[in-house]
Amino acid sequence: MQITAQSDTDMEILSEQIGRRLAALGADVTIDLYADDELTGEPATSLKAMREAAGTPGSRGGDQWMGVALNLGSETDLQHFTRLAHRVIGSEAFLDGNLVFSTIENELRVWVDLPADVVEEIRTATLAAGATSLDYVS
């Protein structure tokens, strides 16, 4: 199922609710620290902090900015996920080896493959937190 929003604010609210649910489920989450567009404000701060923590690409062989692991049980990592997941070139989550969440490169859209009742809980929590422009596409 794809979930879309009409604003970055609504997508951040949605991302936080998805992130909290993924943390509760024990999902393995990664994020790529590249964006097609220049980020400003809090998203830029999060991107910079995560890049500094990950190291320079090639410094340890490979690209440390691709597939960076997140611990969404950490409020700091959850905050970075909330700000960045839909703004970077990719973010994914796996449960038991199955892909259950993915962003679609730099758009106000995410893909979620979780049970319908879990998606409904995410939707309800997102609307309760103030989002107004969610749309679901099967």
Side-chain angles (χ1 to χ4, degrees), residues 28 37 39 43 48 60 65-66 79 104 120 124 126 136:
D28 295 315
D37 300 317
L39 303 181
K48 181 180 178 190
R60 292 177 281 181
W65 292 356
M66 292 296 290
Q79 184 177 63
I104 298 167
E120 180 58 25
T124 300
T126 302
Y136 295 82

Side-chain angles (χ1 to χ4, degrees), residues 2 6 13 29 38 40 46 66 72-74 98-99 104 133:
Q2 291 184 29
Q6 298 302 311
I13 295 168
V29 181
E38 183 176 344
T40 60
S46 283
M66 292 296 290
L72 296 182
S74 155
N98 297 310
L99 183 66
I104 298 167
S133 66

